[in-house]
């Protein structure tokens, strides 16, 4: 045999050997045709192992920066390790401006985390978003209370998967003193009014309130009014009000403001009277709760307020403070939750993008962040035991049980109203201005054509 013929035969034998090994390798797996890379399989010994993932890249753009960005990236690392998909997150404090610019330029990310529900609707109406595939919708229906699918939909079409959520409808109290005094947590407005009277009869003042916040002074009052609109009149009327389908001087809005005023304008019920309310920075306003004895007993504010508590309180929150949901007024609506949250939407539709969105709809996607603290999640399959402290466990439970959740109304109103006349109008009302005039002025400030 000639020398070059030997090389040909050796080459053919090598190719056949390689084909045999490749086919043998495929035959040894339990993978079904079309299996999703990264799915689990079971070995002959019954042990679960991960299949090799095909990988890919998913770009994500959001408003998480600094510590929040780090915690988000830690939360999704398990997904990257399991699937081999590289999730490239970019955060910006100018997110809401830049996402619009990128969409207009035809350079959107694969996925965006939208902090405002109005942005989702705007992008959906423009045709920029990919509707959620049926399997993700089914996952949301199975793992969230119904309100979250509604909040993530536009025109009846689901687009958003909700993830991290902030809760505002909370009442804080000094837990050791509260228990020693024999007070009980109210679940209804009647029970709250009875508790208020009990505190007054004992020589105390029920509420700590302070609204000074620089150029944003007044937002604490608008939050109270929004909470009361939800409790008095329900989510449908609330939505009509936020969208200016009913005027700002509607009797139902007036009732909500007057209900707030029954507490705030009564010096027996609000610590320090209106002068304290108007001049005390919102972050300092709960401090009298931690005096000995407490100067006040109740403070309504979102979960972020713990960062303003005195250092010794923050060091051991569960020993110093308790929390409950702002009580119900109309039993039909239960205990609604007001707050904010981030919903993830798809600008591009590829298998790896869908896979990431499916992951975000699971409680596993929030586990690392929940353990670290500073966030709560609406996923039903995220165990409350995951949360790193008792306070956040209580808040998460309230969130998981809430059948009504709405975003901060003033954030969804035109800026001239929501961050303007509504804020200043509530300051005027607490300062003594006539409520009818205040509400009429806010109504007149609504920009023409912005409904």
């Amino acid at each position: 045999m000639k020398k070059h013929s030997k090389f040909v035969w050796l080459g053919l034998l090598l190719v056949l050997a390689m084909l045999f090994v490749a086919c043998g390798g495929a035959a040894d797996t339990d993978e079904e045709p079309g299996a999703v890379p990264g799915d689990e399989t079971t070995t002959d010994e019954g042990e679960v192992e991960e299949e090799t993932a095909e990988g890919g890249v998913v770009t994500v753009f959001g408003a998480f920066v600094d510590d929040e960005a780090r915690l988000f990236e830690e939360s999704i690392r398990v997904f990257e390790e399991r699937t081999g998909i590289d999730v490239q997150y970019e955060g910006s404090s100018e997110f809401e401006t830049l996402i619009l610019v990128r969409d207009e330029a035809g350079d959107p990310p694969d996925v965006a985390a939208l902090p405002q529900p109005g942005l989702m609707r705007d992008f959906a109406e423009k045709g920029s978003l990919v509707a959620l595939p049926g399997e993700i919708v089914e996952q949301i229906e199975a793992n969230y209370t119904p309100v979250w699918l509604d909040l993530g939909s536009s025109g009846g079409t689901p687009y958003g998967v909700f993830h991290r959520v902030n809760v505002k409808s909370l009442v804080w109290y000094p837990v050791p003193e509260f228990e020693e005094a024999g007070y009980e947590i109210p679940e209804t407005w009647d029970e709250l009014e009875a508790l208020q009277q009990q505190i007054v009869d004992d020589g105390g003042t029920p509420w700590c309130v302070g609204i000074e916040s620089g150029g944003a002074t007044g937002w604490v009052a608008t939050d109270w009014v929004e909470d009361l609109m939800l409790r008095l009149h329900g989510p449908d009327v609330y939505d009509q009000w936020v969208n200016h389908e009913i005027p700002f001087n509607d009797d139902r809005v007036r009732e909500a403001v007057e209900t707030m005023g029954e507490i705030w304008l009564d010096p027996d019920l609000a610590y320090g009277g209106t002068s304290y309310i108007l001049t005390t920075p919102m972050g300092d306003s709960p401090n009298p709760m931690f005096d000995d004895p407490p100067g006040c007993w109740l403070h309504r504010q979102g979960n972020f307020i713990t960062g303003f508590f005195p250092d010794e309180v923050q060091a051991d929150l569960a020993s110093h403070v308790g929390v409950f949901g702002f009580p119900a007024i109309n039993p039909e609506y239960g205990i609604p939750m007001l707050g904010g949250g981030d919903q993830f939407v798809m600008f591009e539709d590829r298998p790896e993008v869908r896979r990431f969105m499916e992951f975000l709809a699971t409680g596993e996607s929030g586990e690392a962040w929940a353990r670290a603290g500073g966030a709560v999640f609406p996923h039903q399959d995220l165990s409350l035991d995951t949360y790193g402290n008792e306070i956040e466990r209580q808040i998460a439970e309230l969130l998981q049980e809430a059948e009504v959740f709405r975003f901060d109304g003033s954030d969804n109103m035109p800026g001239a109203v929501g961050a303007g006349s509504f804020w200043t109008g509530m300051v005027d009302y607490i300062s003594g201005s006539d409520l009818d005039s205040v509400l009429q002025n806010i109504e007149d400030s609504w920009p023409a054509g912005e409904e």
Side-chain angles (χ1 to χ4, degrees), residues 211-222 282 418-420 422-424 427:
I211 68 172
E212 199 284 319
S213 191
T217 297
W219 69 262
V220 174
T222 66
M282 72 88 190
F422 193 8
W423 287 354
T424 58
V427 173

Side-chain angles (χ1 to χ4, degrees), residues 130-261:
V130 178
L132 293 180
E135 62 270 21
I136 299 179
V137 173
E138 291 175 1
Q139 192 172 350
I140 294 171
E141 290 174 334
N143 200 27
Y144 295 70
T145 53
V147 65
W148 297 103
L149 188 61
D150 293 340
L151 288 172
S153 299
S154 177
T157 300
Y159 292 97
V161 174
F162 276 91
H163 196 245
R164 191 272 305 263
V165 175
N166 299 309
V167 180
K168 289 189 172 186
S169 305
L170 304 171
V171 179
W172 304 85
Y173 63 96
V175 68
E177 294 83 358
F178 199 86
E179 293 175 352
E180 184 178 351
Y183 300 147
E184 295 184 1
I185 294 173
E187 296 184 0
T188 68
W189 202 257
D190 287 343
E191 291 177 1
L192 175 64
E193 290 181 328
L195 173 60
Q196 291 175 166
Q197 189 58 54
Q198 186 178 3
I199 292 171
V200 170
D201 291 344
D202 290 344
T205 304
W207 291 95
C208 324
V209 182
I211 68 172
E212 199 284 319
S213 191
T217 297
W219 69 262
V220 174
T222 66
D223 278 5
W224 270 70
V225 173
E226 291 156 11
D227 248 339
L228 291 166
M229 281 292 291
L230 278 175
R231 282 154 177 73
L232 286 164
H233 306 297
D236 292 341
V237 172
Y238 179 90
D239 293 341
Q240 293 169 14
W241 170 57
V242 170
N243 295 323
H244 205 218
E245 295 169 9
I246 61 174
F248 226 98
N249 55 355
D250 186 274
D251 286 343
R252 290 164 290 189
V253 182
R254 180 181 292 101
E255 182 182 5
V257 179
E258 288 176 338
T259 302
M260 178 186 72

